[in-house]
Amino acid sequence: MRKHLCISLRLAAVLAASGVVDASRAEGPDLAGPAFETLTTAGPGPSGRITLLAVDRIEISPAESPPRAFATTELVHLSREAATSTGEGAYVVLPEGDRVVRALVGSATDAKVEVQALALGKASMPLDAVLGLVLNPPSDPDAFDLLVRRLRTEARTSEVVWLANGDRVAGSFLGMDDRVVRLQVQGAARELARDGVTAVGFDPALVSYPKPAGPYLEIGMLDGSRLGLVEVKLERGRVSGATRFGVRIDVPLADVVRVAPRTPTVAYLSELPVEAKSYVPYFDLVRPFQADASVEDRPLLLNGKTYDRGIGTSSRTLLAFKIQPGDLRFQATVGVDERAGALGSVVFRVLTDGKVRYASPSLTYRDAPVAVDVDLEGVKHLILATEFGERGDVRDLADWVEARIIRRP
């Protein structure tokens, strides 16, 4: 308990310094703002300051040219290079890749949980929007990644509590305070010491995280948080909006590192059904493809940068997708995951209706990621092929980062 209290006090000091608990952060905003790089549906766009931000329109002001406005249907994302880290604190796992990190998680009932973080300030979050809470994150990065992925993808029919000693307890979540987590287990109430609880996973069948009816913006933060926002506006260097779970936020633009419009013109393959798949391993080990993760179920990692979206495969894998009327282009960034090490070697191929439209050389993790852009007009089927490189399929961790279809507005 003393260790937990010390961590909480240190984190509170960090949050205060970041402006979460100190309203003085709102005074004297940096009107110049950081510069963002723009990726449009047609390719790289201008770099500059964001001077207008809304769910349907974004304006960029380059340093030496007039401002340029884009409809969000023209954009894939805006981003800037900045070091992000989860750091100390709890981790709130939300559906579809959203999350709140470096958080102070307070008390909870079976309906809501109190959270304080850079991305939210102080907020009461509806519990039915939450997939999981990592209350005491593992210090080992591999163990942490595995735990978060499990909270996101594991099929659970009840709440599950992961304990620090490796045990799991299944039951119905009743609530928690700063001392205990309360569950109903086989009809009896049970209290678990909170400082011995690593994480709580909630029943996915009870989670409600509806998509907004119209376009919205995914906002990535310096601390690693990501939230989908509607009713977005930019005023005096601050971004405000309403989250998908109904809590309003107000943060400095200087704390934003990525803006990804979610409109009908950009469809990520990791969110679309796979019409057919085929695995032909070099030996006997079949490694199924993973959505929004590497084939080893870790975050996608190319050239030192992690990505939220994409498809992880291994040689030899074929994935077929049905193309719809109005689908214009297939785009992705491909490369060998950095965790593959020196042995991984992969060839990426893109086929449309049986014809090869793109083929990479044999790539390793040392090679720079490659941008792929293939015309889909008149096409019925798209096939992504991960082929053997120079050394069989040893450590062939192939990442199709941000694999997407560009559709007609």
Side-chain angles (χ1 to χ4, degrees):
M1 182 66 72
R2 180 175 297 174
K3 179 182 178 183
H4 177 74
L5 179 60
C6 290
I7 290 176
S8 297
L9 291 173
R10 290 200 304 273
L11 181 59
V14 171
L15 292 172
S18 300
V20 172
V21 295
D22 185 354
S24 66
R25 178 66 179 269
E27 298 178 3
D30 180 5
L31 296 179
F36 287 77
E37 295 182 355
T38 305
L39 180 62
T40 77
T41 54
S47 297
R49 296 183 295 110
I50 298 176
T51 48
L52 184 148
L53 189 64
V55 296
D56 60 348
R57 185 167 173 263
I58 297 176
E59 183 179 86
I60 291 288
S61 293
E64 298 180 356
S65 58
R68 183 173 173 185
F70 294 89
T72 50
T73 53
E74 300 176 85
L75 297 170
V76 178
H77 59 69
L78 298 88
S79 62
R80 65 187 179 96
E81 292 295 329
T84 60
S85 173
T86 56
E88 291 184 341
Y91 190 107
V92 182
V93 181
L94 300 167
E96 300 176 30
D98 282 2
R99 66 260 178 184
V100 178
V101 308
R102 292 181 62 189
L104 287 172
V105 175
S107 61
T109 66
D110 60 357
K112 65 181 181 179
V113 57
E114 302 299 323
V115 176
Q116 183 175 336
L118 175 67
L120 287 177
K122 291 182 178 180
S124 292
M125 294 179 61
L127 202 66
D128 64 2
V130 179
L131 273 174
L133 299 169
V134 184
L135 299 177
N136 297 290
S139 57
D140 176 65
D142 290 353
F144 176 78
D145 288 344
L146 179 61
L147 176 60
V148 171
R149 182 71 174 171
R150 191 168 292 166
L151 289 169
R152 289 198 181 283
T153 63
E154 182 182 67
R156 299 183 293 273
T157 57
S158 67
E159 278 72 66
V160 175
V161 174
W162 280 262
L163 300 179
N165 64 7
D167 290 344
R168 290 164 50 120
V169 181
S172 297
F173 182 79
L174 301 177
M176 67 182 181
D177 55 30
D178 61 346
R179 298 182 304 104
V180 298
V181 174
R182 293 183 290 275
L183 290 178
Q184 184 171 354
V185 181
Q186 297 181 347
R190 182 174 174 184
E191 292 188 345
L192 304 170
R194 178 163 166 167
D195 58 4
V197 171
T198 299
V200 181
F202 297 99
D203 184 351
L206 303 179
V207 174
S208 175
Y209 205 68
K211 287 186 181 296
Y216 64 100
L217 302 181
E218 286 178 349
I219 304 294
M221 306 289 292
L222 270 173
D223 66 356
S225 296
R226 195 192 84 184
L227 294 169
L229 300 182
V230 296
E231 302 172 20
V232 180
K233 62 182 178 179
L234 173 64
E235 291 183 333
R236 294 183 58 81
R238 299 188 69 86
V239 178
S240 62
T243 66
R244 290 174 60 176
F245 47 86
V247 172
R248 298 201 64 85
I249 74 165
D250 186 314
V251 298
L253 180 59
D255 287 343
V256 175
V257 297
R258 185 178 173 91
V259 179
R262 298 307 311 271
T263 71
T265 57
V266 179
Y268 291 97
L269 293 192
S270 59
E271 298 176 348
L272 299 180
V274 176
E275 187 175 30
K277 55 184 180 288
S278 171
Y279 304 106
V280 184
Y282 195 80
F283 294 109
D284 295 325
L285 177 63
V286 172
R287 291 183 286 189
F289 84 94
Q290 299 293 325
D292 298 331
S294 76
V295 75
E296 290 189 327
D297 229 6
R298 299 288 307 281
L300 299 159
L301 179 63
L302 292 183
N303 203 26
K305 183 178 180 180
T306 58
Y307 295 85
D308 283 341
R309 285 195 172 84
I311 294 176
T313 60
S314 180
S315 303
R316 180 182 193 244
T317 297
L318 303 177
L319 301 176
F321 297 86
K322 189 173 182 179
I323 299 305
Q324 305 296 326
D327 290 352
L328 301 177
R329 309 200 68 79
F330 166 72
Q331 298 173 345
T333 299
V334 300
V336 176
D337 197 280
E338 193 169 304
R339 298 185 183 91
L343 296 178
S345 178
V346 174
V347 172
F348 295 85
R349 293 200 301 159
V350 179
L351 298 85
T352 60
D353 295 341
K355 298 179 181 179
V356 177
R357 304 293 300 277
Y358 169 82
S360 76
S362 183
L363 298 177
T364 73
Y365 84 99
R366 294 188 179 91
D367 293 305
V370 180
V372 179
D373 192 332
V374 172
D375 182 15
L376 294 179
E377 292 197 74
V379 168
K380 295 181 179 180
H381 292 92
L382 169 71
I383 295 177
L384 307 186
T386 306
E387 306 284 6
F388 304 114
E390 298 176 353
R391 288 177 286 274
D393 67 352
V394 179
R395 302 299 295 163
D396 279 7
L397 311 184
D399 294 346
W400 301 79
V401 163
E402 294 185 347
R404 59 191 177 269
I405 290 175
I406 304 301
R407 292 177 165 164
R408 184 172 289 114

